[in-house]
Amino acid sequence: MEEIAAKSVLSKLKIGKSVAEFDDDLEEYFVETDTFQSIIGGEYDIVAGDKGTGKTAIFRLLSNNYRSYNVLDDTELLPAFNPQGNPIFQRLAQIPDQNEAQYRTLWKAYFFSLAGNWALDIFGENYNQKTRSLLVFWSKQVFATQIQIPH
């Protein structure tokens, strides 16, 4: 009798999908782990880990709710990947190895493009001289060189 009751209870449990990318209810049962607290506390900026370790869960919770954490009031969250798409740098595996400076430039360009796209989303049609000055400033910080920013 107890075995039947246990099976009945276990079969009714909703523990989510096996892949967080496709779990619509993830935010309902997300557990704020030490890793999560370290991220919102500013100890880490990048989350790395094997499949199934919670990277996407942390990403989704922060993407949807980061404004609800007071400690993140002065923070903008810029997603650096598409959790449901192909890996962004997949084509790098198809080209010869680059030197460290080339990889550094690639990463700088990537992060600068994320920030630039974020700024364009924010300013939209209100792109003006102040916006341009901000982008020029960023480019100097990121690349330590002058790049061409459209007028």
Side-chain angles (χ1 to χ4, degrees):
M1 193 74 130
E2 289 179 26
E3 184 179 320
I4 295 172
K7 283 183 180 180
S8 175
V9 169
L10 289 174
S11 68
K12 292 178 183 175
L13 284 176
K14 292 183 179 179
I15 57 173
K17 305 262 193 273
S18 61
V19 180
E21 288 87 335
F22 305 112
D23 195 336
D24 294 332
D25 299 321
L26 185 64
E27 286 85 4
E28 291 182 33
Y29 49 79
F30 178 80
V31 176
E32 293 185 7
T33 62
D34 289 340
T35 301
F36 179 82
Q37 292 299 324
S38 295
I39 290 167
I40 67 169
E43 294 176 49
Y44 301 109
D45 296 316
I46 297 175
V47 179
D50 292 329
K51 183 172 176 57
T53 58
K55 301 177 303 294
T56 299
I58 290 170
F59 166 77
R60 289 224 353 234
L61 187 78
L62 283 175
S63 293
N64 297 334
N65 304 305
Y66 77 101
R67 289 287 182 218
S68 66
Y69 295 93
N70 292 337
V71 69
L72 298 175
D73 280 347
D74 62 349
T75 302
E76 287 297 329
L77 180 74
L78 303 179
F81 75 108
N82 177 358
Q84 294 182 338
N86 290 328
I88 293 171
F89 296 108
Q90 189 172 16
R91 291 192 57 205
L92 285 178
Q94 300 168 359
I95 64 172
D97 287 343
Q98 307 295 302
N99 65 42
E100 183 178 345
Q102 290 169 314
Y103 282 119
R104 208 177 268 147
T105 299
L106 174 70
W107 280 107
K108 287 179 180 181
Y110 179 63
F111 288 126
F112 182 71
S113 72
L114 291 172
N117 286 332
W118 168 81
L120 291 174
D121 285 344
I122 296 292
F123 297 112
E125 293 183 18
N126 296 322
Y127 184 85
N128 57 29
Q129 186 58 39
K130 286 184 180 180
T131 309
R132 184 181 183 287
S133 298
L134 175 64
L135 293 175
V136 169
F137 171 77
W138 280 349
S139 72
K140 288 179 181 178
Q141 300 306 308
V142 171
F143 297 106
T145 185
Q146 180 79 23
I147 65 170
Q148 193 65 30
I149 303 291
H151 292 277

